[in-house]
Every structure is written in C-alpha cells, then in structure tokens.
Amino acid sequence: GAVVSQHPSRVICKSGTSVKIECRSLDFQATTMFWYRQFPKQSLMLMATSNEGSKATYEQGVEKDKFLINHASLTLSTLTVTSAHPEDSSFYICSARDPRDLGNTIYFGEGSWLTVV
Amino acid sequence: GENVEQHPSTLSVQEGDSAVIKCTYSDSASNYFPWYKQELGKRPQLIIDIRSNVGEKKDQRIAVTLNKTAKHFSLHITETQPEDSAVYFCAASRSGNTPLVFGKGTRLSVIA
C-alpha cells in the first residue's frame, strides 16, 4: 500500500512556543491530506483538511490561527501548533488517499505525540 | 455532516468466543466503511473495509456486514484471541477526497 510518513514521532515543547509536524506522502502525490487529533482514550477527531496550493479547511471549533496548516507541495503538509499550551498535548496524526487506489483506502502517518510542558 | 455512532464502548469476551461491534452512520451518501484496530500510541491499522455495493465481507476470523437501508454496519470477530485485545474504531466517508469520520471506539478485552 501507499506510505505516509510523519515527523517527529514525539516532541516536547515549552508553553508558548510553536512546534511543527510534517506529513509526507512518500510514494504518491496527495492533493489533499487530513489532520486528526486524538486525546487519550478518545477517538480521532478531524481538525482540518489540507489542500495543496490553497487554504486549509478547518472543522468547527478548531482555531485556524493556532493550528497553521501549509500544503506547499503534492507530497508535504505541515501542521504548526502556535503558542502551544498544555491542553494542546495530544496525539496528532495525518492521513491521505492515494489517487491511484480506486478503493478509496486512506493511509495514515505514524502519528506525533506532542507534550507541552 | 456525517455522524458515526459506535457501540459498545467496552466489550469483554472469553477467548474463543465471538465479538460484535456495531456502528450507525447518518450520511446516506457515505459509501466507504473501514474498521481500524489501534494499539496505544500507534496509528490506526486497517483490518477490514466494506463499500456500499457489498453487503458482507469476510477475511478469516473477521467479517463486516453493511445494511445501507438502516445505515448501520457491524464488525464480527470469531474465535477471539488475547492478541485481539485493542481499541477498535469504525469510520465512514464518501468517495473522493473526503475525510473519514470515526466512531468513538470500542475497547475489546479478550480474557484468556
């Protein structure tokens, strides 16, 4: 299957700082990528849809100025958590569909654990 | 938008017994229904999926059924083993570049 890679897998940052998470499609081009957040013992909640060459579409309740998404190429989307606070500590995971896969399968990155101290 | 409900939230079964997890969805345009198994701190692992043109799909001990009219789909695991213990999520989406919407998850415990 297609491969989606995410980096870093774990990051610890201080309150008030920003942290960037990268999501790459390694063997296919992804015009769209999806970012999810998962708090402990909860489900994956869609944060935003990242669109190559245009603005991301954010879900209701997700602050676009706090969670900056950039999708500058067909293989890379980045999520930047700005002015991070402890409540932003969570598991962030990206996903994308391989356009060659007519089966509509979605591929996930490995996920990134963010801890804000 | 789509809303996916999943039950039960926790499920304990004896090793060798069957486990059934049920989900309902709201968007009649959804046509892709995957099931994921997730270990703590790791990405969801696709275990089986079904598309709206099929009513049932089976892969060894795992099967999924879909009732489009009632808008519900179920995961069936037979002959459960301790290594089946994990959190399972159902999801639904439309075709094209649309995101998956997940259920809240079911924590399955298989007791040896």
Side-chain angles (χ1 to χ4, degrees):
Chain A
V3 179
V4 176
S5 179
Q6 198 170 331
H7 178 82
S9 58
R10 291 183 179 275
V11 58
I12 300 173
C13 71
K14 293 184 177 180
S15 288
T17 63
S18 297
V19 62
K20 180 186 288 186
I21 300 170
E22 295 185 347
C23 179
R24 294 180 186 274
S25 54
L26 298 187
D27 56 351
F28 66 99
Q29 294 183 331
T31 56
T32 303
M33 291 184 176
F34 307 105
W35 286 95
Y36 292 85
R37 176 169 56 184
Q38 185 178 32
F39 292 110
K41 297 187 178 182
Q42 293 188 24
S43 186
L44 290 86
M45 298 302 296
L46 179 68
M47 298 177 66
T49 299
S50 173
N51 303 298
E52 188 270 334
S54 64
K55 292 182 179 180
T57 304
Y58 290 82
E59 294 300 299
Q60 190 172 10
V62 178
E63 301 175 57
K64 62 179 181 180
D65 295 330
K66 180 169 180 63
F67 299 99
L68 300 179
I69 291 174
N70 184 280
H71 194 150
S73 79
L74 287 170
T75 59
L76 173 65
S77 174
T78 60
L79 169 67
T80 301
V81 183
T82 64
S83 186
H85 291 284
E87 56 264 33
D88 298 324
S89 299
S90 186
F91 186 60
Y92 293 85
I93 190 165
C94 66
S95 67
R97 283 192 171 90
D98 182 349
R100 303 165 300 179
D101 181 349
L102 300 180
N104 224 29
T105 305
I106 281 190
Y107 299 92
F108 285 89
E110 300 94 330
S112 301
W113 278 104
L114 169 63
T115 302
V116 184
V117 297
Chain B
E2 176 66 276
N3 181 49
V4 178
E5 299 283 342
Q6 182 172 346
H7 298 281
S9 57
T10 60
L11 178 61
S12 292
V13 298
Q14 292 289 329
E15 181 178 2
D17 287 351
S18 296
V20 180
I21 303 171
K22 299 182 178 182
C23 288
T24 61
Y25 62 98
S26 61
D27 185 355
S28 57
S30 288
N31 57 10
Y32 177 61
F33 308 94
W35 286 89
Y36 292 91
K37 178 182 181 181
Q38 190 180 29
E39 309 286 346
L40 184 63
K42 296 187 177 180
R43 75 178 106 191
Q45 175 191 356
L46 178 68
I47 56 171
I48 196 167
D49 57 13
I50 193 166
R51 292 165 179 83
S52 60
N53 58 344
V54 176
E56 184 173 358
K57 183 177 178 180
K58 189 173 182 180
D59 182 4
Q60 298 183 339
R61 296 187 297 110
I62 296 173
V64 57
T65 58
L66 170 65
N67 183 327
K68 283 185 62 181
T69 303
K71 294 210 269 297
H72 64 71
F73 56 113
S74 301
L75 177 71
H76 304 252
I77 305 174
T78 58
E79 301 172 31
T80 53
Q81 302 165 1
E83 49 266 38
D84 294 329
S85 296
V87 179
Y88 291 81
F89 291 97
C90 64
S93 78
R94 297 183 175 191
S95 58
N97 255 332
T98 57
L100 286 172
V101 176
F102 286 85
K104 290 196 182 320
T106 296
R107 180 171 297 278
L108 172 65
S109 299
V110 180
I111 304 165

PDB file of all heavy atoms in Angstrom, chain A residues 3-31:
ATOM      1  N   VAL A   3       2.463   4.839   1.267  1.00  0.00           N
ATOM      2  CA  VAL A   3       3.145   5.146   2.521  1.00  0.00           C
ATOM      3  C   VAL A   3       3.009   6.623   2.849  1.00  0.00           C
ATOM      4  O   VAL A   3       3.292   7.485   2.013  1.00  0.00           O
ATOM      5  CB  VAL A   3       4.636   4.775   2.448  1.00  0.00           C
ATOM      6  CG1 VAL A   3       5.338   5.135   3.759  1.00  0.00           C
ATOM      7  CG2 VAL A   3       4.803   3.288   2.155  1.00  0.00           C
ATOM      8  N   VAL A   4       2.566   6.882   4.067  1.00  0.00           N
ATOM      9  CA  VAL A   4       2.507   8.237   4.595  1.00  0.00           C
ATOM     10  C   VAL A   4       3.423   8.280   5.810  1.00  0.00           C
ATOM     11  O   VAL A   4       3.317   7.425   6.702  1.00  0.00           O
ATOM     12  CB  VAL A   4       1.071   8.629   4.998  1.00  0.00           C
ATOM     13  CG1 VAL A   4       1.059  10.010   5.646  1.00  0.00           C
ATOM     14  CG2 VAL A   4       0.167   8.616   3.770  1.00  0.00           C
ATOM     15  N   SER A   5       4.336   9.237   5.815  1.00  0.00           N
ATOM     16  CA  SER A   5       5.299   9.335   6.903  1.00  0.00           C
ATOM     17  C   SER A   5       5.119  10.640   7.650  1.00  0.00           C
ATOM     18  O   SER A   5       4.893  11.690   7.050  1.00  0.00           O
ATOM     19  CB  SER A   5       6.729   9.244   6.349  1.00  0.00           C
ATOM     20  OG  SER A   5       7.676   9.350   7.386  1.00  0.00           O
ATOM     21  N   GLN A   6       5.255  10.587   8.949  1.00  0.00           N
ATOM     22  CA  GLN A   6       5.027  11.750   9.789  1.00  0.00           C
ATOM     23  C   GLN A   6       6.229  11.947  10.704  1.00  0.00           C
ATOM     24  O   GLN A   6       6.827  10.990  11.192  1.00  0.00           O
ATOM     25  CB  GLN A   6       3.757  11.519  10.610  1.00  0.00           C
ATOM     26  CG  GLN A   6       3.139  12.739  11.218  1.00  0.00           C
ATOM     27  CD  GLN A   6       1.760  12.445  11.799  1.00  0.00           C
ATOM     28  OE1 GLN A   6       1.043  11.561  11.345  1.00  0.00           O
ATOM     29  NE2 GLN A   6       1.398  13.190  12.823  1.00  0.00           N
ATOM     30  N   HIS A   7       6.562  13.210  10.934  1.00  0.00           N
ATOM     31  CA  HIS A   7       7.734  13.510  11.761  1.00  0.00           C
ATOM     32  C   HIS A   7       7.536  14.824  12.502  1.00  0.00           C
ATOM     33  O   HIS A   7       6.975  15.762  11.930  1.00  0.00           O
ATOM     34  CB  HIS A   7       8.972  13.623  10.851  1.00  0.00           C
ATOM     35  CG  HIS A   7      10.219  13.979  11.572  1.00  0.00           C
ATOM     36  ND1 HIS A   7      10.995  13.063  12.246  1.00  0.00           N
ATOM     37  CD2 HIS A   7      10.830  15.188  11.763  1.00  0.00           C
ATOM     38  CE1 HIS A   7      12.017  13.669  12.794  1.00  0.00           C
ATOM     39  NE2 HIS A   7      11.955  14.949  12.511  1.00  0.00           N
ATOM     40  N   PRO A   8       7.909  14.945  13.768  1.00  0.00           N
ATOM     41  CA  PRO A   8       8.550  13.913  14.585  1.00  0.00           C
ATOM     42  C   PRO A   8       7.514  12.972  15.198  1.00  0.00           C
ATOM     43  O   PRO A   8       6.333  13.260  15.211  1.00  0.00           O
ATOM     44  CB  PRO A   8       9.238  14.740  15.673  1.00  0.00           C
ATOM     45  CG  PRO A   8       8.327  15.912  15.854  1.00  0.00           C
ATOM     46  CD  PRO A   8       7.798  16.237  14.476  1.00  0.00           C
ATOM     47  N   SER A   9       7.961  11.863  15.702  1.00  0.00           N
ATOM     48  CA  SER A   9       7.044  10.927  16.341  1.00  0.00           C
ATOM     49  C   SER A   9       6.707  11.389  17.759  1.00  0.00           C
ATOM     50  O   SER A   9       5.618  11.125  18.262  1.00  0.00           O
ATOM     51  CB  SER A   9       7.650   9.526  16.370  1.00  0.00           C
ATOM     52  OG  SER A   9       8.891   9.532  17.048  1.00  0.00           O
ATOM     53  N   ARG A  10       7.671  12.049  18.382  1.00  0.00           N
ATOM     54  CA  ARG A  10       7.434  12.590  19.721  1.00  0.00           C
ATOM     55  C   ARG A  10       8.126  13.933  19.826  1.00  0.00           C
ATOM     56  O   ARG A  10       9.242  14.107  19.335  1.00  0.00           O
ATOM     57  CB  ARG A  10       7.984  11.660  20.803  1.00  0.00           C
ATOM     58  CG  ARG A  10       7.233  10.366  20.946  1.00  0.00           C
ATOM     59  CD  ARG A  10       7.789   9.512  22.080  1.00  0.00           C
ATOM     60  NE  ARG A  10       7.037   8.275  22.221  1.00  0.00           N
ATOM     61  CZ  ARG A  10       5.923   8.166  22.930  1.00  0.00           C
ATOM     62  NH1 ARG A  10       5.454   9.207  23.581  1.00  0.00           N
ATOM     63  NH2 ARG A  10       5.282   7.016  23.014  1.00  0.00           N
ATOM     64  N   VAL A  11       7.459  14.874  20.472  1.00  0.00           N
ATOM     65  CA  VAL A  11       8.062  16.174  20.675  1.00  0.00           C
ATOM     66  C   VAL A  11       7.547  16.754  21.990  1.00  0.00           C
ATOM     67  O   VAL A  11       6.371  16.620  22.316  1.00  0.00           O
ATOM     68  CB  VAL A  11       7.788  17.118  19.488  1.00  0.00           C
ATOM     69  CG1 VAL A  11       6.305  17.297  19.251  1.00  0.00           C
ATOM     70  CG2 VAL A  11       8.466  18.464  19.680  1.00  0.00           C
ATOM     71  N   ILE A  12       8.477  17.353  22.711  1.00  0.00           N
ATOM     72  CA  ILE A  12       8.146  18.052  23.949  1.00  0.00           C
ATOM     73  C   ILE A  12       8.529  19.502  23.758  1.00  0.00           C
ATOM     74  O   ILE A  12       9.643  19.805  23.303  1.00  0.00           O
ATOM     75  CB  ILE A  12       8.910  17.465  25.150  1.00  0.00           C
ATOM     76  CG1 ILE A  12       8.550  15.988  25.329  1.00  0.00           C
ATOM     77  CG2 ILE A  12       8.579  18.239  26.424  1.00  0.00           C
ATOM     78  CD1 ILE A  12       9.379  15.286  26.395  1.00  0.00           C
ATOM     79  N   CYS A  13       7.610  20.394  24.063  1.00  0.00           N
ATOM     80  CA  CYS A  13       7.923  21.805  23.924  1.00  0.00           C
ATOM     81  C   CYS A  13       7.422  22.579  25.135  1.00  0.00           C
ATOM     82  O   CYS A  13       6.573  22.088  25.893  1.00  0.00           O
ATOM     83  CB  CYS A  13       7.324  22.384  22.635  1.00  0.00           C
ATOM     84  SG  CYS A  13       5.536  22.545  22.657  1.00  0.00           S
ATOM     85  N   LYS A  14       7.950  23.759  25.308  1.00  0.00           N
ATOM     86  CA  LYS A  14       7.543  24.601  26.428  1.00  0.00           C
ATOM     87  C   LYS A  14       6.306  25.404  26.062  1.00  0.00           C
ATOM     88  O   LYS A  14       6.088  25.746  24.883  1.00  0.00           O
ATOM     89  CB  LYS A  14       8.682  25.539  26.820  1.00  0.00           C
ATOM     90  CG  LYS A  14       9.889  24.830  27.411  1.00  0.00           C
ATOM     91  CD  LYS A  14      10.938  25.840  27.868  1.00  0.00           C
ATOM     92  CE  LYS A  14      12.112  25.127  28.521  1.00  0.00           C
ATOM     93  NZ  LYS A  14      13.147  26.097  28.980  1.00  0.00           N
ATOM     94  N   SER A  15       5.520  25.721  27.053  1.00  0.00           N
ATOM     95  CA  SER A  15       4.333  26.552  26.832  1.00  0.00           C
ATOM     96  C   SER A  15       4.725  27.856  26.152  1.00  0.00           C
ATOM     97  O   SER A  15       5.736  28.478  26.511  1.00  0.00           O
ATOM     98  CB  SER A  15       3.662  26.874  28.168  1.00  0.00           C
ATOM     99  OG  SER A  15       3.026  25.744  28.695  1.00  0.00           O
ATOM    100  N   GLY A  16       3.937  28.239  25.165  1.00  0.00           N
ATOM    101  CA  GLY A  16       4.185  29.491  24.479  1.00  0.00           C
ATOM    102  C   GLY A  16       5.012  29.363  23.224  1.00  0.00           C
ATOM    103  O   GLY A  16       5.062  30.299  22.416  1.00  0.00           O
ATOM    104  N   THR A  17       5.650  28.230  23.049  1.00  0.00           N
ATOM    105  CA  THR A  17       6.452  28.035  21.845  1.00  0.00           C
ATOM    106  C   THR A  17       5.609  27.368  20.756  1.00  0.00           C
ATOM    107  O   THR A  17       4.475  26.967  20.995  1.00  0.00           O
ATOM    108  CB  THR A  17       7.694  27.184  22.138  1.00  0.00           C
ATOM    109  OG1 THR A  17       7.276  25.877  22.570  1.00  0.00           O
ATOM    110  CG2 THR A  17       8.547  27.836  23.224  1.00  0.00           C
ATOM    111  N   SER A  18       6.196  27.289  19.570  1.00  0.00           N
ATOM    112  CA  SER A  18       5.499  26.668  18.442  1.00  0.00           C
ATOM    113  C   SER A  18       6.207  25.386  18.042  1.00  0.00           C
ATOM    114  O   SER A  18       7.415  25.243  18.225  1.00  0.00           O
ATOM    115  CB  SER A  18       5.466  27.631  17.252  1.00  0.00           C
ATOM    116  OG  SER A  18       4.725  28.789  17.572  1.00  0.00           O
ATOM    117  N   VAL A  19       5.464  24.476  17.512  1.00  0.00           N
ATOM    118  CA  VAL A  19       6.049  23.211  17.072  1.00  0.00           C
ATOM    119  C   VAL A  19       5.441  22.827  15.733  1.00  0.00           C
ATOM    120  O   VAL A  19       4.235  23.004  15.507  1.00  0.00           O
ATOM    121  CB  VAL A  19       5.830  22.109  18.138  1.00  0.00           C
ATOM    122  CG1 VAL A  19       4.357  21.857  18.363  1.00  0.00           C
ATOM    123  CG2 VAL A  19       6.544  20.836  17.759  1.00  0.00           C
ATOM    124  N   LYS A  20       6.292  22.317  14.845  1.00  0.00           N
ATOM    125  CA  LYS A  20       5.847  21.943  13.510  1.00  0.00           C
ATOM    126  C   LYS A  20       5.880  20.433  13.343  1.00  0.00           C
ATOM    127  O   LYS A  20       6.865  19.782  13.696  1.00  0.00           O
ATOM    128  CB  LYS A  20       6.742  22.588  12.449  1.00  0.00           C
ATOM    129  CG  LYS A  20       6.333  22.247  11.018  1.00  0.00           C
ATOM    130  CD  LYS A  20       7.316  22.790   9.995  1.00  0.00           C
ATOM    131  CE  LYS A  20       7.227  24.280   9.853  1.00  0.00           C
ATOM    132  NZ  LYS A  20       8.081  24.784   8.750  1.00  0.00           N
ATOM    133  N   ILE A  21       4.810  19.902  12.763  1.00  0.00           N
ATOM    134  CA  ILE A  21       4.717  18.464  12.470  1.00  0.00           C
ATOM    135  C   ILE A  21       4.597  18.314  10.967  1.00  0.00           C
ATOM    136  O   ILE A  21       3.802  19.003  10.332  1.00  0.00           O
ATOM    137  CB  ILE A  21       3.503  17.836  13.169  1.00  0.00           C
ATOM    138  CG1 ILE A  21       3.603  18.009  14.688  1.00  0.00           C
ATOM    139  CG2 ILE A  21       3.387  16.354  12.815  1.00  0.00           C
ATOM    140  CD1 ILE A  21       2.342  17.645  15.439  1.00  0.00           C
ATOM    141  N   GLU A  22       5.391  17.412  10.404  1.00  0.00           N
ATOM    142  CA  GLU A  22       5.387  17.204   8.958  1.00  0.00           C
ATOM    143  C   GLU A  22       4.701  15.898   8.584  1.00  0.00           C
ATOM    144  O   GLU A  22       4.855  14.884   9.270  1.00  0.00           O
ATOM    145  CB  GLU A  22       6.818  17.185   8.420  1.00  0.00           C
ATOM    146  CG  GLU A  22       7.553  18.493   8.556  1.00  0.00           C
ATOM    147  CD  GLU A  22       8.918  18.451   7.901  1.00  0.00           C
ATOM    148  OE1 GLU A  22       9.380  17.337   7.556  1.00  0.00           O
ATOM    149  OE2 GLU A  22       9.526  19.520   7.718  1.00  0.00           O
ATOM    150  N   CYS A  23       4.002  15.940   7.483  1.00  0.00           N
ATOM    151  CA  CYS A  23       3.335  14.751   6.953  1.00  0.00           C
ATOM    152  C   CYS A  23       3.693  14.633   5.481  1.00  0.00           C
ATOM    153  O   CYS A  23       3.436  15.556   4.701  1.00  0.00           O
ATOM    154  CB  CYS A  23       1.819  14.885   7.125  1.00  0.00           C
ATOM    155  SG  CYS A  23       0.879  13.487   6.496  1.00  0.00           S
ATOM    156  N   ARG A  24       4.303  13.514   5.130  1.00  0.00           N
ATOM    157  CA  ARG A  24       4.748  13.315   3.757  1.00  0.00           C
ATOM    158  C   ARG A  24       4.129  12.069   3.144  1.00  0.00           C
ATOM    159  O   ARG A  24       4.043  11.018   3.781  1.00  0.00           O
ATOM    160  CB  ARG A  24       6.271  13.161   3.703  1.00  0.00           C
ATOM    161  CG  ARG A  24       7.043  14.386   4.095  1.00  0.00           C
ATOM    162  CD  ARG A  24       8.550  14.159   4.010  1.00  0.00           C
ATOM    163  NE  ARG A  24       9.292  15.301   4.517  1.00  0.00           N
ATOM    164  CZ  ARG A  24       9.619  16.354   3.785  1.00  0.00           C
ATOM    165  NH1 ARG A  24       9.267  16.400   2.503  1.00  0.00           N
ATOM    166  NH2 ARG A  24      10.283  17.366   4.315  1.00  0.00           N
ATOM    167  N   SER A  25       3.721  12.202   1.899  1.00  0.00           N
ATOM    168  CA  SER A  25       3.327  11.024   1.129  1.00  0.00           C
ATOM    169  C   SER A  25       4.568  10.604   0.361  1.00  0.00           C
ATOM    170  O   SER A  25       5.105  11.362  -0.443  1.00  0.00           O
ATOM    171  CB  SER A  25       2.166  11.355   0.187  1.00  0.00           C
ATOM    172  OG  SER A  25       2.474  12.453  -0.643  1.00  0.00           O
ATOM    173  N   LEU A  26       5.056   9.408   0.645  1.00  0.00           N
ATOM    174  CA  LEU A  26       6.363   9.003   0.143  1.00  0.00           C
ATOM    175  C   LEU A  26       6.342   8.465  -1.283  1.00  0.00           C
ATOM    176  O   LEU A  26       7.321   8.588  -2.012  1.00  0.00           O
ATOM    177  CB  LEU A  26       6.987   7.966   1.067  1.00  0.00           C
ATOM    178  CG  LEU A  26       7.271   8.442   2.496  1.00  0.00           C
ATOM    179  CD1 LEU A  26       8.049   7.384   3.263  1.00  0.00           C
ATOM    180  CD2 LEU A  26       8.032   9.763   2.490  1.00  0.00           C
ATOM    181  N   ASP A  27       5.263   7.839  -1.680  1.00  0.00           N
ATOM    182  CA  ASP A  27       5.267   7.200  -2.993  1.00  0.00           C
ATOM    183  C   ASP A  27       4.043   7.566  -3.824  1.00  0.00           C
ATOM    184  O   ASP A  27       3.717   6.872  -4.787  1.00  0.00           O
ATOM    185  CB  ASP A  27       5.380   5.678  -2.844  1.00  0.00           C
ATOM    186  CG  ASP A  27       4.277   5.106  -1.957  1.00  0.00           C
ATOM    187  OD1 ASP A  27       3.545   5.899  -1.330  1.00  0.00           O
ATOM    188  OD2 ASP A  27       4.154   3.879  -1.897  1.00  0.00           O
ATOM    189  N   PHE A  28       3.385   8.654  -3.456  1.00  0.00           N
ATOM    190  CA  PHE A  28       2.273   9.119  -4.259  1.00  0.00           C
ATOM    191  C   PHE A  28       2.089  10.607  -4.012  1.00  0.00           C
ATOM    192  O   PHE A  28       2.618  11.169  -3.064  1.00  0.00           O
ATOM    193  CB  PHE A  28       0.986   8.352  -3.942  1.00  0.00           C
ATOM    194  CG  PHE A  28       0.443   8.583  -2.553  1.00  0.00           C
ATOM    195  CD1 PHE A  28      -0.591   9.491  -2.327  1.00  0.00           C
ATOM    196  CD2 PHE A  28       0.950   7.887  -1.468  1.00  0.00           C
ATOM    197  CE1 PHE A  28      -1.094   9.703  -1.054  1.00  0.00           C
ATOM    198  CE2 PHE A  28       0.460   8.084  -0.188  1.00  0.00           C
ATOM    199  CZ  PHE A  28      -0.568   8.998   0.019  1.00  0.00           C
ATOM    200  N   GLN A  29       1.332  11.220  -4.880  1.00  0.00           N
ATOM    201  CA  GLN A  29       1.055  12.643  -4.736  1.00  0.00           C
ATOM    202  C   GLN A  29      -0.316  12.828  -4.106  1.00  0.00           C
ATOM    203  O   GLN A  29      -1.299  12.216  -4.545  1.00  0.00           O
ATOM    204  CB  GLN A  29       1.118  13.329  -6.098  1.00  0.00           C
ATOM    205  CG  GLN A  29       2.515  13.326  -6.696  1.00  0.00           C
ATOM    206  CD  GLN A  29       2.578  14.074  -8.024  1.00  0.00           C
ATOM    207  OE1 GLN A  29       1.601  14.143  -8.755  1.00  0.00           O
ATOM    208  NE2 GLN A  29       3.734  14.641  -8.332  1.00  0.00           N
ATOM    209  N   ALA A  30      -0.369  13.665  -3.104  1.00  0.00           N
ATOM    210  CA  ALA A  30      -1.606  13.873  -2.356  1.00  0.00           C
ATOM    211  C   ALA A  30      -2.031  15.332  -2.443  1.00  0.00           C
ATOM    212  O   ALA A  30      -1.415  16.201  -1.843  1.00  0.00           O
ATOM    213  CB  ALA A  30      -1.414  13.472  -0.899  1.00  0.00           C
ATOM    214  N   THR A  31      -3.076  15.595  -3.206  1.00  0.00           N
ATOM    215  CA  THR A  31      -3.571  16.962  -3.279  1.00  0.00           C
ATOM    216  C   THR A  31      -4.298  17.347  -1.997  1.00  0.00           C
ATOM    217  O   THR A  31      -4.474  18.520  -1.696  1.00  0.00           O
ATOM    218  CB  THR A  31      -4.539  17.127  -4.465  1.00  0.00           C
ATOM    219  OG1 THR A  31      -5.594  16.173  -4.321  1.00  0.00           O
ATOM    220  CG2 THR A  31      -3.823  16.903  -5.784  1.00  0.00           C
TER     221      THR A  31
END
